[in-house]
Amino acid sequence: KGLIQRNHRVSVVSSGGSLVEPLTRLGAVHYQLPVHAKSLKTIRSCVSEVEQLILSTGVELVHARSRVPGWIAYLATRGTRVQFVTTAHGAYRKHFGSQVMGWGKKVIVPSTAIWERMHRDFEVPAEDLRLIPRGIDLERFQGLQRDRIPAGGPVVIGMVGRITPLKGHATFLKALALARAKEPRITARIIGDAPAHRPGVKENLVQLARELGLEKAAAFESSQPEVEKVYAGLDVLVMASEVPESFGRVLVEAQASGIPVIAAALGGILDIVEDGRTGTLFPAGDAGALAEAMCALVRDPQRARAMGRAAWEKARREYTVAKMAL
């Protein structure tokens, strides 16, 4: 969107999906190729197709955002001699298949943690790295700012995101049980779905909630495309990841809604949450510490609201789409 607004011509090559229509509506041209497939035969075929696309349309810069497309783009640019850049948006393991993400003329990273990883483990020179945090559309979250932590009645604490063991949902449920023993008005909403090939992950969490006596206190809900409606109903947001996140978009969206956040102290989260000012950090995987952080916010609504306001100001200052696309 930012490139198109600057009168650049933008083409996107992908295997298709729900974003094709919004992309083409903006004015981008979409080419559908099986760039998600990992077979060498398919990759070779895609390299040839992308080379032809570059030559026939006058492409001057090719940008790759993940590893298989990265190899396709890299090989296609070697044959056509156009510039190749990457965005390393994950904490890739150090093996040959991931090396291509550090071979861009410039390598974009979303957080200090990924900057350090690409510099240390992938030997990308500091001058070739560009730290560009993920931006959000603030207009989506206008009007959601309000005083959180009601004086009476339930306090709703939420988790938003994919349900996988790495996101710390089990830690969250254990912390919820501990927190409710001291502050029984705390309730929870868990919004998100498990991967289609691993439905048992969510079922296991539902069973854990039963075992902890949380059937009526923890509601499981499917993902919602209009996530701002979810934030409108939360008083606190928790991000309990147990492995380093490359960034933490959910945190920024919650902060842009004026919601106080509690997050695990690791990875890209450390760029977003200033402990005690724009949120609360706790040691990853520590249910007891997370429970204490929940109770502390419930007991001190004024402090929680101050955190929400400070986080809202930071989100507006540092994490906008406009700043990302400068």
Side-chain angles (χ1 to χ4, degrees), residues 47-184:
V47 170
S48 177
E49 294 272 7
V50 173
E51 282 182 344
Q52 290 304 309
L53 169 63
I54 291 170
L55 294 170
S56 64
T57 64
V59 168
E60 297 174 276
L61 180 71
V62 177
H63 170 233
R65 277 186 50 84
S66 58
R67 286 166 289 185
V68 173
W71 279 105
I72 293 166
Y74 174 76
L75 294 170
T77 56
R78 294 292 75 85
T80 54
R81 298 187 181 280
V82 303
Q83 298 286 3
F84 172 64
V85 299
T86 61
T87 292
H89 64 83
Y92 304 118
R93 288 178 295 164
K94 188 179 178 181
H95 61 74
F96 182 73
S98 299
Q99 292 295 317
V100 69
M101 299 310 294
W103 292 350
K105 184 176 179 64
K106 300 296 178 187
V107 178
I108 300 165
V109 293
S111 65
T112 302
I114 303 302
W115 193 102
E116 292 173 348
R117 189 177 190 90
M118 296 305 293
H119 182 54
R120 180 187 66 243
D121 295 344
F122 291 79
E123 300 180 355
V124 180
E127 60 269 22
D128 292 341
L129 286 161
R130 293 292 182 271
L131 174 55
I132 305 177
R134 177 80 174 264
I136 61 169
D137 182 359
L138 289 177
E139 290 185 6
R140 292 183 63 189
F141 308 99
Q142 291 288 357
L144 297 182
Q145 296 75 33
R146 61 175 173 81
D147 284 343
R148 310 284 171 165
I149 315 293
V155 175
V156 183
I157 299 179
M159 280 191 73
V160 178
R162 290 181 300 113
I163 294 181
T164 76
L166 303 180
K167 295 292 186 180
H169 288 84
T171 297
F172 175 64
L173 288 173
K174 293 171 186 176
L176 178 64
L178 293 171
R180 280 180 53 80
K182 299 176 181 178
E183 298 290 342

